[in-house]
């Protein structure tokens, strides 16, 4: 039996972790979850306002309002998730992943807002099913339509358009000679 491998062995903290680092990570995680949740609520309020009190109110049937809510959750939650991550990437960097410059951070946030508007448009299209289908089926279909509508956008080779760093926030961008895997 080797020393230090049994149940009574002392646990040694790895040299890369500290209590302050763990607390900072926990605080950052809580901040991201809070902004994502608040963004989803704000997206629902915006989407319901679009469906109820605006020029789009006649275009959204009563059985399609839940589809608009699903789009609001997606758009607001995505924006609330990626806003603090972009801000963190703009102020903190490493040698492997340098800080974002103001222009690149702005480009990423504009991309997130375009994607949020895209999700709202998809939800408005899914709401049109409310003219012919019952509310429960429209809600179910809208979750799949809004939830998977971004997949074709993920398959576009953004590097050919000069937008190769779009996946950098989530660790999926490929640098020169990179494999796309995060360390």
């Amino acid at each position: 039996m080797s020393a230090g491998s049994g149940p009574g062995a002392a646990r040694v903290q790895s040299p890369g972790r500290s209590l302050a680092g763990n607390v900072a990570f926990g605080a950052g995680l809580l901040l991201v979850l809070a902004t994502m949740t608040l963004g989803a609520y704000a997206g629902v309020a915006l989407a319901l306002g679009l469906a109820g009190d605006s020029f789009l109110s006649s275009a959204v049937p009563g059985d399609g309002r839940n589809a608009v809510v699903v789009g609001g959750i997606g758009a607001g939650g995505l924006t609330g998730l990626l806003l603090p991550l972009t801000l963190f990437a703009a102020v903190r960097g490493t040698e492997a992943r340098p800080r974002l410059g103001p222009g690149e951070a702005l480009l990423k946030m504009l991309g997130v807002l375009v994607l949020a508007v895209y999700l709202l448009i998809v939800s408005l299209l899914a709401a049109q099913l409310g003219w012919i289908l019952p509310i429960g089926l429209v809600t179910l279909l809208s979750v799949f339509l809004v939830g998977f509508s971004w997949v074709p956008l993920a398959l576009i080779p953004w590097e050919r358009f000069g937008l190769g760093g779009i996946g950098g926030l989530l660790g999926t961008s490929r640098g020169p000679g990179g494999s796309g895997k995060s360390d």
Side-chain angles (χ1 to χ4, degrees):
M1 180 175 227
S2 64
S5 63
R11 297 183 79 187
V12 178
Q13 193 173 15
S14 67
R17 294 185 181 175
S18 68
L19 178 63
N22 288 340
V23 169
F25 175 78
L29 181 66
L30 286 176
L31 176 71
V32 169
L33 290 175
T35 58
M36 184 177 65
T37 304
L38 291 173
Y41 280 118
V44 168
L46 172 72
L48 283 177
L50 284 174
D53 301 331
S54 73
F55 63 95
L56 293 173
S57 62
S58 61
V60 178
D63 286 349
R65 289 177 59 88
N66 285 353
V68 178
V69 169
V70 169
I73 291 170
L78 177 74
T79 305
L81 170 70
L82 291 178
L83 177 67
L85 292 179
T86 304
L87 292 176
F88 288 154
V91 296
R92 183 172 165 104
T94 62
E95 287 183 22
R97 196 176 283 228
R99 291 182 351 180
L100 290 179
E104 190 177 5
L106 180 64
L107 180 66
K108 286 183 186 281
M109 285 315 301
L110 286 175
V112 168
L113 291 177
V114 167
L115 184 60
V117 169
Y118 172 77
L119 290 177
L120 284 174
I121 290 171
V122 169
S123 71
L124 288 171
L125 293 175
Q128 301 309 307
L129 293 172
W131 294 109
I132 56 175
L133 297 174
I135 190 169
L137 193 55
V138 172
T139 303
L140 179 68
L141 290 174
S142 68
V143 168
F144 287 105
L145 289 173
V146 171
F148 293 117
S149 66
W150 59 270
V151 173
L153 295 175
L155 298 176
I156 294 174
W158 294 105
E159 295 85 12
R160 290 189 180 182
F161 303 113
L163 302 172
I166 289 206
L169 288 176
L170 302 175
T172 59
S173 68
R174 295 182 186 127
S179 65
K181 295 179 184 177
S182 57
D183 297 318

